Amino acid sequence: GAGVSQSPRYKVAKRGQDVALRCDPISGHVSLFWYQQALGQGPEFLTYFQNEAQLDKSGLPSDRFFAERPEGSVSTLKIQRTQQEDSAVYLCASSLQQGASYEQYFGPGTRLTVT
Amino acid sequence: AQSVTQLGSHVSVSEGALVLLRCNYSSSVPPYLFWYVQYPNQGLQLLLKYTTGATLVKGINGFEAEFKKSETSFHLTKPSAHMSDAAEYFCAVRKSNFGNEKLTFGTGTRLTIIP
């Protein structure tokens, strides 16, 4: 079946612009995660949803970052007033349920470049 | 807090030789441990995981890893490298208490296979 999809795959934004990144999880997956991967680094956790509830947003780096999942399926990560340090690959992952028995399936990512 | 250290950002091995990628972790509670592989412009794919039970775990593509609590290590091995193993490998840790879903990743090891 279809995996996790993300759009756009590439986004170039001028500093100060707002951007919205979309994640379509695997159908029926309850848990959804956002990670940020800077160049040459491992992914870093941003936020986590269980259905529509945002249970952990401890990794969001500033109040310019906002994520939502209003109907418990598609999620959007919004970054306001983008800065150069926001340049990174943003990865979305979904899993069927909570718990380590359930694998997190990752999408291909959105590469954001802020100029 | 939990963290992961991957020794060696770049590892090169000859085709057919042993692959050894090192991972050490720290965690305040018993950890769950994971190895992911990332091919260029693709998302992360789970290779194997340790949650409970047998400390030697086998994964896909002939990889295996052994959880050694006394050494706080979870090194990844493969007896005979194949050209298709060239990729970036990430070790990750998660707390084992329910509700702690986020993965903490190491900085990655780029594996190069020499023909």
Side-chain angles (χ1 to χ4, degrees):
Chain A
V4 177
S5 61
Q6 294 185 245
S7 60
R9 290 293 313 277
Y10 302 90
K11 176 70 178 178
V12 178
K14 293 188 188 303
R15 190 174 61 179
Q17 283 185 332
D18 297 349
V19 298
L21 312 180
R22 177 187 170 106
C23 173
D24 285 80
I26 294 172
S27 178
H29 278 200
V30 169
S31 300
L32 185 144
F33 305 80
W34 284 99
Y35 293 86
Q36 179 191 58
Q37 186 175 19
L39 188 64
Q41 301 296 315
E44 292 195 0
F45 172 81
L46 294 177
T47 187
Y48 157 60
F49 290 86
Q50 185 79 350
N51 294 306
E52 68 278 5
Q54 189 174 20
L55 297 187
D56 187 345
K57 53 182 180 179
S58 62
L60 296 176
S62 76
D63 59 7
R64 295 187 296 104
F65 286 71
F66 173 76
E68 61 183 4
R69 193 185 185 199
E71 297 179 357
S73 178
V74 171
S75 176
T76 304
L77 176 67
K78 298 179 179 178
I79 308 173
Q80 297 178 323
R81 304 181 303 280
T82 53
Q83 304 295 315
Q84 283 195 315
E85 61 263 29
D86 300 335
S87 295
V89 175
Y90 290 86
L91 296 169
C92 176
S94 70
S95 68
L96 185 61
Q97 290 287 351
Q98 281 185 301
S101 299
Y102 299 97
E103 178 180 345
Q104 291 187 24
Y105 292 87
F106 283 80
T110 294
R111 182 178 298 277
L112 173 65
T113 303
V114 181
T115 60
Chain B
Q2 55 201 27
S3 66
V4 175
T5 302
Q6 291 185 241
L7 292 176
S9 59
H10 292 84
V11 170
S12 296
V13 301
S14 297
E15 191 176 14
L18 172 72
V19 175
L20 171 61
L21 304 183
R22 300 178 185 274
C23 173
N24 288 87
Y25 70 90
S26 67
S27 179
S28 55
V29 300
Y32 292 157
L33 296 158
F34 306 80
W35 275 99
Y36 284 83
V37 61
Q38 186 176 36
Y39 297 100
N41 297 316
Q42 295 186 26
L44 283 77
Q45 180 184 8
L46 181 67
L47 278 177
L48 49 79
K49 66 182 179 185
Y50 168 79
T51 54
T52 58
T55 56
L56 180 64
V57 293
K58 296 184 185 299
I60 61 171
N61 302 337
F63 285 94
E64 62 182 37
E66 186 170 10
F67 170 57
K68 292 187 176 181
K69 184 178 178 181
S70 62
E71 298 178 8
T72 60
S73 69
F74 191 58
H75 301 329
L76 182 71
T77 60
K78 182 174 180 177
S80 177
H82 192 272
M83 295 300 293
S84 61
D85 295 327
E88 186 101 24
Y89 291 80
F90 293 94
C91 182
V93 64
R94 215 204 86 185
K95 291 183 179 179
S96 56
N97 42 327
F98 190 79
N100 272 290
E101 302 297 314
K102 70 178 183 182
L103 294 169
T104 299
F105 288 88
T107 53
T109 298
R110 183 171 300 278
L111 177 64
T112 301
I113 309 299
I114 304 166

